[in-house]
Each structure stands twice: as structure tokens, then as C-alpha cells.
């Protein structure tokens, strides 16, 4: 399917992106269908898994995806009683289904992710986080920590009937210590907040490509960005984490305190507690040679072939991305790209201008119609990729790849090239290698990514019908990459439920399970991709 073949849906979105978002919010808040549930697959959702906390029937950890068949399912009455006990304990911090603001507070950044928790809590202080966690434990409920909700699609595909969604969006403080070259960011702080604060001192954090991704969620799940091939994953620069445990205790976790837990959260994400703040190392970078080159999509094959051959051995001073993009015919999009299909190469080089120009010279030789590469202030990189800001309806998925062989390259061209029939907005290859493929000696659970690229496919989804089309085209694109797939996943880009073990090597996975069993023996915390003890 293509944009042109969607006359009904195109009519709905022929105004501006804000209306697309409002349409998606209205559609999904009215129960317009789960992306991975009955509407798309035609099959009913699985019954609610038994909570290990309701009734305190056992102490060992349980997976949301592998409930213990020996225990009776949680009844609707028990769940209703539990959430009302939580509400009594926490008052206005907790919103329940049926409350006027419930749809607003449960809605993540990805508004197509129709998460339906038993309750939502939006604490404004660490003490309120502790109150909610203790109240949830007393009521026999589990807790899913969530910041912005960019990666909420995987969580929303699962049954959350006994889960309190704990949104950390109100915890937004950022402070910078220029002497120690560190920043402390509360769990709801956005990447752009930390970038701006660090820039006042001529420094940067290891941020991603989107300004409104939470810095905590990005870093705890790994974190790749424009400095990655030179300086590695963002999780490797985490210096400390402040975390509320399943008992409601606040811990400072660092290299000298709770060492196993410190190792686990750096890549293991929100599986071990509610992270209320992180402390990250900063880098003394004031500017970079960076920008964008653009071609019409008819040139995708020649640019893709050059990128595929060049990227794995390119100097590690450059971190870059190649995208095939199909822009919808929406009036708010600049006329020069409205309705067009384009190839976009962007990135950043941490080197002097002469060396940087040598590194990107091969792409310039391909005669892009737009070339903006130049020396720019480091803070500008946070918006260079032009990722959408604000709540956005989308479906997508990603996987790790080795260098593409000829068959896989042809499959990618068939799936997203100029002659492809696809509704995908974006098909991206992000360059890995360099420091992203080296694990420092003090690394956490994810110290490196053993791949040449991470692929990421995205379709916009303002209605469940468009989401189903986007999901089908995403699945086709993912299948096209099978010949180069490493078998591993970068879980920050896994937008559907996957085996979380694929995000780690075997030794790290075994150790993560041990840490989970030690710090959360009842399996109280639920993450996008859950680790079981």
C-alpha cells in the first residue's frame, strides 16, 4: 500500500500533524482497537495472567508472558478491590478507569499504543513514588514505570489488568556539575533539557536523535546517538541511579553501592525498580561537523550500496544514518518535500573540517540535491534528524544487522525502494561499529552492540486501520532483512513483544535473571521487555 492508495484515510489527515495527533488520541481513547489485539489479528486477547502479588499466593518471580498455570486467574472483583485500595492509600496521585482524566494520563507519547492498566499514578516527588509503590504492593498490584512512553507499544500489547502504570513525567529536574562533568536528570527529564543544561558549560550528554525522548529511558536501554561510534553507548556513561525498590526503599546505586544492581540497570532498563533519577557523565564537545544530504528515492540503490560498503569500516569519528522516507501529502509539510519519496543521509563527525569533508566525500560524489553538512553547535544535533516532537501515532520495529549481502540488499530495495508498494514513512539503517562495538571494562548489562547496523522501520498510525497496514509493511521489511540479521535485538528499537534474552549475550542474560530474582523476587516490576528471575 502507498499514501496514494489510502483515499479515505488521506482525507482524514489532509490538514496538519496536530490534527493527525488529535485524531489518533480520540480514536485510541475511544477503544479503537489494539495494534496487536483483536482488531488486527482477529483473535481475542489472552486471559489476564495471574499476579504473584494478588493474595500473596507465592514468592517466586513470574513473567507476564509465562503465567503459572497452577494458580487461578485474577478475577475482575479482586482487581477492582485492589485498585480501590490503592486509590484509598494514594488519593489524588492515582487515576482509575472511568475517571475523567484516565485516558489522558494513560496515553503515552506513541498514542497508537493503547495501554490499558488497572490504574495510573503520576507522582511529582520521590516520596510520592515511594507511596505509590508501597500502596501497590499492599494492594497486590504490580508496577510498570514509564517516562514519555516512546517505546510503549511492546508494553501495551500485553495484559495490564493488575498493573499500575507509574508515569515519571512530572519529575523533570536537571542539574549540571561542571567540575565533575556530570549531569543529574530526574526520570521525566527530556533529552533536550539535559542537552541545553550541558551546553551552558560547553559539554554534551550522549543523547539520541529525538529531543523529547526521556534521557533516563534512552540511557537505561542502551542509548545510541550522534557521538556513539566515538564514545559508545549512553548507558556506559551512567555514573549513578536513584531507584525505588519493590519495598518502597530509595537506593543510590553506583559503582560502589549495590554493584550488581548498578551493572543490571545499565542496559536492563526498568525491570528492577522505579528509577527516579540518573547521573550521567558529560563530554567536552562544543561543536561538530554535521548535517544532511538528500536525494530523490530513485537514487536509493546507489546511495545504499555506497553506505553499506563504507559504513562498517568508516572512521569512528563519524556516526550516521541512512533513511528511505516517504512523506505524506500533508499541507503543513514544506512544499519541496510534500508527497515526495527521498533518501536522507545525516550524521555528525567529531573531527576538524578537512578530515570531516574527506569522510563524507564519497556521498558528495553521488551529487545530492541538498547538502547542509558544515560546522554546527553541538546542541543543534538534537533536532538534526527531524524526529517528530509531541505525541505521535506510530507502529514500527527494528533489528540488528551485519553488513548486507547482495541478496539482502536486493530484498531491502524490493521492500522499501522506489518501486516498492509500502506505506512506511521511514526505513532506516543506523551505522554502528567503532566504540559501539567495544565494551569498556566497567560496562553494564549492555556494553556494546555486536552488529554493523540497526535497522528501524516506522509507519504512522492515526487510526487502527492505518496501524494494521503499517504493521504489515513493517513485518515485510523486517522479513526482508533476515539474511543479514544477527539474531540479536537493540531493545530500545523493539516495538513489539520479543524475547528479552535477544537483547543480551548469554552470560549477561543469566546474570540479569539472578539480579532480578534478588531485588524483585515477586516480579512486581513490569518493563517493556521483561526480565524474569
Amino acid at each position: 500500500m502507498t499514501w496514494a492508495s489510502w483515499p479515505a484515510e488521506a482525507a482524514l489527515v489532509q490538514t496538519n500533524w496536530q490534527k493527525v495527533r488529535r485524531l489518533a488520541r480520540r480514536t485510541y481513547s475511544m477503544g479503537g482497537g489494539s495494534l496487536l489485539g483483536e482488531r488486527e489479528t482477529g483473535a481475542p486477547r489472552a486471559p489476564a495472567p495471574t499476579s504473584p502479588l494478588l493474595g500473596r499466593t507465592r514468592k517466586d518471580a513470574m513473567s507476564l508472558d509465562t503465567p503459572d498455570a497452577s494458580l487461578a486467574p485474577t478475577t475482575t472483583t479482586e482487581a477492582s478491590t485492589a485498585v480501590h485500595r490503592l486509590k484509598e492509600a494514594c488519593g489524588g496521585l492515582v487515576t482509575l478507569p472511568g475517571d475523567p482524566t484516565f485516558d489522558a494520563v494513560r496515553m503515552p507519547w506513541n498514542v497508537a499504543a493503547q495501554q490499558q492498566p488497572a490504574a495510573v499514578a503520576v507522582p511529582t516527588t520521590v516520596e510520592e513514588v515511594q507511596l505509590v509503590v508501597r500502596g501497590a504492593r499492599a494492594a497486590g498490584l504490580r508496577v510498570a514505570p514509564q517516562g514519555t512512553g516512546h517505546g510503549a507499544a511492546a508494553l501495551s500489547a500485553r495484559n495490564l489488568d493488575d498493573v499500575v502504570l507509574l508515569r515519571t513525567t512530572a519529575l523533570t529536574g536537571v542539574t549540571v556539575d561542571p567540575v565533575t562533568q556530570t549531569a543529574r536528570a530526574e526520570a521525566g527529564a527530556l533529552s533536550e533539557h539535559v542537552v541545553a543544561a550541558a551546553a551552558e558549560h560547553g559539554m554534551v550528554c550522549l543523547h539520541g536523535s529525538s529531543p523529547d525522548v526521556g534521557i533516563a529511558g534512552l540511557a537505561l536501554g542502551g542509548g545510541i546517538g550522534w557521538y556513539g561510534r566515538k564514545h559508545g553507548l549512553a548507558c556506559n556513561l551512567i555514573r549513578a541511579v536513584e531507584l525505588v525498590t519493590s519495598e518502597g526503599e530509595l537506593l543510590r546505586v553506583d559503582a560502589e553501592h549495590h554493584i550488581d544492581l548498578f551493572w543490571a540497570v545499565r542496559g536492563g532498563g526498568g525491570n528492577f525498580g522505579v528509577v527516579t533519577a540518573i547521573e550521567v557523565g558529560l563530554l567536552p564537545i562544543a561543536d561538530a561537523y554535521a548535517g544532511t544530504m538528500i536525494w530523490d528515492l530513485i537514487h536509493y540503490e546507489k546511495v545504499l550500496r555506497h553506505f553499506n560498503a563504507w559504513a562498517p569500516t568508516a572512521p569512528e569519528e563519524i556516526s550516521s544514518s541512512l533513511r528511505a522516507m516517504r512523506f505524506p501529502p500533508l499541507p503543513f509539510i514544506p512544499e519541496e518535500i510534500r508527497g515526495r519519496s527521498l533518501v536522507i543521509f545525516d550524521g555528525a563527525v567529531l573531527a576538524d573540517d578537512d578530515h570531516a569533508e574527506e569522510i563524507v566525500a564519497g556521498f558528495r560524489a553521488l551529487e545530492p540535491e541538498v547538502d547542509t553538512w558544515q560546522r554546527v553547535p553541538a546542541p543543534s544535533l538534537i533536532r538534526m534528524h527531524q524526529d517528530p516532537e509531541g505525541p505521535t501515532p506510530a507502529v514500527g520495529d527494528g533489528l540488528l544487522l551485519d553488513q548486507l549481502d547482495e541478496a539482502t540488499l536486493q530484498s531491502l530495495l524490493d521492500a522499501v525502494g522506489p518501486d516498492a508498494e509500502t506505506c512506511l514513512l521511514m526505513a532506516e539503517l543506523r551505522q554502528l561499529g567503532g566504540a559501539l562495538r567495544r565494551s569498556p571494562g566497567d560496562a553494564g548489562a549492555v556494553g556494546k552492540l555486536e552488529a554493523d547496523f540497526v535497522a528501524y522501520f516506522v509507519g504512522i498510525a492515526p487510526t487502527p486501520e492505518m496501524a494494521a497496514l503499517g504493521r504489515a509493511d513493517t513485518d515485510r521489511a523486517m522479513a526482508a532483512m533476515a539474511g543479514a540479521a544477527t539474531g540479536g535485538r537493540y531493545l530500545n528499537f523493539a516495538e513489539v513483544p520479543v524475547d528479552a534474552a535477544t537483547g543480551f549475550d548469554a552470560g549477561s542474560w543469566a546474570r540479569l535473571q539472578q539480579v532480578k530474582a534478588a531485588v524483585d523476587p515477586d516480579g512486581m516490576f513490569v518493563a517493556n521487555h521483561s526480565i524474569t528471575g
Side-chain angles (χ1 to χ4, degrees):
M1 301 295 289
T2 65
W3 283 105
S5 62
W6 289 355
E9 285 80 1
L12 290 172
V13 297
Q14 284 294 320
T15 44
N16 58 49
W17 191 240
Q18 291 302 321
K19 289 189 177 180
V20 172
R21 289 168 172 150
R22 286 197 294 271
L23 170 65
R25 282 178 175 270
R26 183 168 63 250
T27 300
Y28 289 106
S29 67
M30 292 171 63
S34 168
L35 301 186
L36 297 174
E38 184 172 358
R39 184 100 179 219
E40 182 176 342
T41 65
R45 299 183 79 176
T50 302
S51 167
L53 300 178
L54 280 167
R56 308 299 176 130
T57 53
R58 61 182 271 178
K59 297 294 288 182
D60 54 327
M62 295 175 61
S63 165
L64 185 64
D65 301 308
T66 54
D68 190 328
S70 68
L71 299 179
T74 300
T75 68
T76 302
T77 301
E78 286 175 326
S80 177
T81 300
V83 296
H84 283 92
R85 287 177 61 192
L86 176 67
K87 179 81 169 179
E88 290 173 1
C90 300
L93 294 177
V94 173
T95 304
L96 303 182
D99 289 347
T101 60
F102 181 73
D103 281 338
V105 296
R106 75 173 174 87
M107 194 75 74
W109 182 93
N110 183 356
V111 299
Q114 194 185 9
Q115 48 193 14
Q116 297 285 356
V120 181
V122 188
T124 61
T125 66
V126 173
E127 292 75 17
E128 289 178 350
V129 173
Q130 293 175 284
L131 179 64
V132 172
V133 170
R134 289 167 181 157
R137 170 167 285 281
L141 297 166
R142 295 181 296 164
V143 174
Q146 186 178 86
T148 60
H150 278 70
L155 181 68
S156 69
R158 297 153 64 184
N159 195 303
L160 305 178
D161 286 352
D162 66 338
V163 173
V164 180
L165 186 67
L166 194 156
R167 305 296 303 275
T168 59
T169 50
L171 304 173
T172 60
V174 177
T175 56
V176 170
D177 185 337
V179 176
T180 61
Q181 296 190 344
T182 58
R184 178 185 179 275
E186 293 183 345
L190 304 184
S191 294
E192 66 175 333
H193 299 156
V194 185
V195 168
E200 294 179 6
H201 304 279
M203 294 184 288
V204 300
C205 64
L206 291 182
H207 60 80
S209 61
S210 173
D212 66 352
V213 165
I215 194 68
L218 171 93
L220 292 169
I224 58 176
W226 300 124
Y227 312 112
R229 295 185 76 249
K230 182 67 174 178
H231 294 286
L233 293 166
C235 62
N236 290 332
L237 280 188
I238 295 176
R239 301 292 183 242
V241 168
E242 296 166 30
L243 177 146
V244 174
T245 70
S246 61
E247 298 292 342
E249 180 183 3
L250 178 64
L251 302 179
R252 177 178 170 86
V253 180
D254 58 29
E256 297 179 352
H257 305 90
H258 312 284
I259 297 171
D260 285 341
L261 182 54
F262 182 56
W263 173 86
V265 297
R266 290 178 294 152
N271 276 280
F272 309 97
V274 181
V275 172
T276 59
I278 64 171
E279 185 178 295
V280 297
L282 302 176
L283 300 170
I285 298 173
D287 54 38
Y289 188 88
T292 299
M293 296 184 197
I294 300 176
W295 299 258
D296 190 274
L297 193 62
I298 61 172
H299 301 294
Y300 184 46
E301 181 172 357
K302 71 177 182 181
V303 182
L304 173 62
R305 288 187 179 279
H306 178 69
F307 183 75
N308 182 54
W310 163 88
T313 58
E316 63 185 44
E317 284 80 10
I318 186 168
S319 299
S320 68
S321 159
L322 185 70
R323 291 175 286 171
M325 298 201 68
R326 288 169 162 82
F327 291 94
L330 301 179
F332 77 96
I333 292 177
E335 185 176 359
E336 58 269 23
I337 63 172
R338 185 186 309 153
R340 290 191 63 187
S341 298
L342 301 173
V343 184
I344 301 177
F345 169 69
D346 57 359
V349 183
L350 298 178
D352 62 64
D353 289 3
D354 288 343
H355 185 37
E357 289 177 357
E358 291 176 3
I359 291 173
V360 300
F363 292 92
R364 284 202 166 116
L366 299 177
E367 300 181 340
E369 63 182 72
V370 175
D371 181 351
T372 69
W373 285 71
Q374 61 184 314
R375 180 69 46 184
V376 298
S380 69
L381 299 187
I382 193 66
R383 285 184 167 83
M384 180 179 67
H385 209 51
Q386 293 292 299
D387 287 357
E389 298 179 45
T392 299
V395 294
D397 204 5
L399 75 168
L400 294 173
L401 303 173
D402 289 324
Q403 190 173 27
L404 309 188
D405 58 21
E406 181 61 26
T408 306
L409 191 147
Q410 285 294 338
S411 293
L412 180 59
L413 288 170
D414 291 343
V416 301
D419 298 324
E421 291 288 321
T422 181
C423 66
L424 292 180
L425 174 69
M426 181 184 80
E428 179 176 19
L429 294 178
R430 291 206 185 186
Q431 182 188 20
L432 301 179
L436 292 170
R437 204 161 187 163
R438 295 193 300 270
S439 185
D442 59 351
V446 176
K448 60 183 178 179
L449 296 176
E450 287 280 6
D452 293 318
F453 305 106
V454 57
Y456 193 44
F457 304 101
V458 177
I460 66 169
T463 68
E465 291 76 16
M466 293 175 76
L469 291 172
R471 171 55 54 208
D473 282 349
T474 295
D475 291 345
R476 278 191 286 272
M478 292 281 286
M481 309 311 295
T486 66
R489 289 277 195 153
Y490 173 54
L491 294 180
N492 273 3
F493 281 6
E495 298 280 349
V496 297
V498 300
D499 180 0
T502 59
F504 310 92
D505 63 61
S508 294
W509 178 247
R511 186 177 174 187
L512 283 166
Q513 290 179 300
Q514 293 170 357
V515 176
K516 176 71 170 179
V519 303
D520 184 20
D522 292 317
M524 182 176 180
F525 292 110
V526 181
N528 291 344
H529 303 287
S530 288
I531 297 167
T532 57

